[in-house]
Amino acid sequence: QVQLVESGGGLVQPGGSLRLSCAASGFTSDYYTIGWFRQVPGKEREGLLYIRSSDSDAYENPYRADPVKGRFTISRDNAKNTVYLQMTSLKPEDTAVYYCAATYYSGEFYYSEEYEYDYWGQGTQVTVSS
């Protein structure tokens, strides 16, 4: 089965940086997308950035990308089976539990919503505070 494990969260000061990792395994198809989401208690989970396995095509949430645009970057390392979320210029409002998720795709489908993803990691806490 697909397994996703996030790591790299912690406490960071405003303006600082963190790199989150998502170790992925168990895929039975080469055509899957891994996305990064975050959730604040009392609010809905929001998608941030996504990357496709076959061509490393990265894309952002078409509706909610503005809060992280220019500050967050997604990338992948095929040799390590890991997807990263590089976060810079962190703000207190970035405080949340960050999740990676996966879904299989076919053709020219680009998924960005929570309900479109089938597999989830356990989450890693990011706290931005002085």
Side-chain angles (χ1 to χ4, degrees), residues 38 46-50 59-72 88-89 91 93-94:
R38 68 182 181 185
E46 61 176 341
L48 302 173
L49 293 165
Y50 321 87
Y59 58 99
E60 63 188 20
N61 189 315
Y63 306 107
R64 305 180 182 92
D66 286 345
V68 303
K69 188 181 293 292
R71 300 189 298 119
F72 290 12
T88 62
S89 301
K91 306 174 181 179
E93 49 264 46
D94 294 319

Side-chain angles (χ1 to χ4, degrees), residues 19-46:
R19 188 179 73 168
L20 306 183
S21 299
C22 175
S25 63
F27 293 104
T28 57
S29 171
D30 292 334
Y31 302 94
Y32 60 90
T33 298
I34 292 180
W36 283 100
F37 294 73
R38 68 182 181 185
Q39 186 169 26
V40 176
K43 297 184 178 180
E44 68 177 8
R45 190 170 299 179
E46 61 176 341

Side-chain angles (χ1 to χ4, degrees), residues 24 44 53 57 82 123:
E44 68 177 8
S53 63
D57 188 15
T82 300

Side-chain angles (χ1 to χ4, degrees), residues 40-124:
V40 176
K43 297 184 178 180
E44 68 177 8
R45 190 170 299 179
E46 61 176 341
L48 302 173
L49 293 165
Y50 321 87
I51 190 165
R52 306 201 319 164
S53 63
S54 60
D55 55 10
S56 295
D57 188 15
Y59 58 99
E60 63 188 20
N61 189 315
Y63 306 107
R64 305 180 182 92
D66 286 345
V68 303
K69 188 181 293 292
R71 300 189 298 119
F72 290 12
T73 302
I74 192 169
S75 62
R76 65 195 294 256
D77 186 331
N78 289 335
K80 297 180 179 179
N81 299 312
T82 300
V83 173
Y84 302 99
L85 182 67
Q86 179 67 51
M87 306 183 294
T88 62
S89 301
L90 285 164
K91 306 174 181 179
E93 49 264 46
D94 294 319
T95 296
V97 177
Y98 285 72
Y99 299 88
C100 62
T103 188
Y104 292 108
Y105 69 84
S106 62
E108 296 298 318
F109 287 94
Y110 294 81
Y111 301 105
S112 60
E113 297 297 318
E114 179 182 5
Y115 74 89
E116 296 174 313
Y117 284 76
D118 299 313
Y119 310 101
W120 294 84
Q122 81 290 341
T124 185

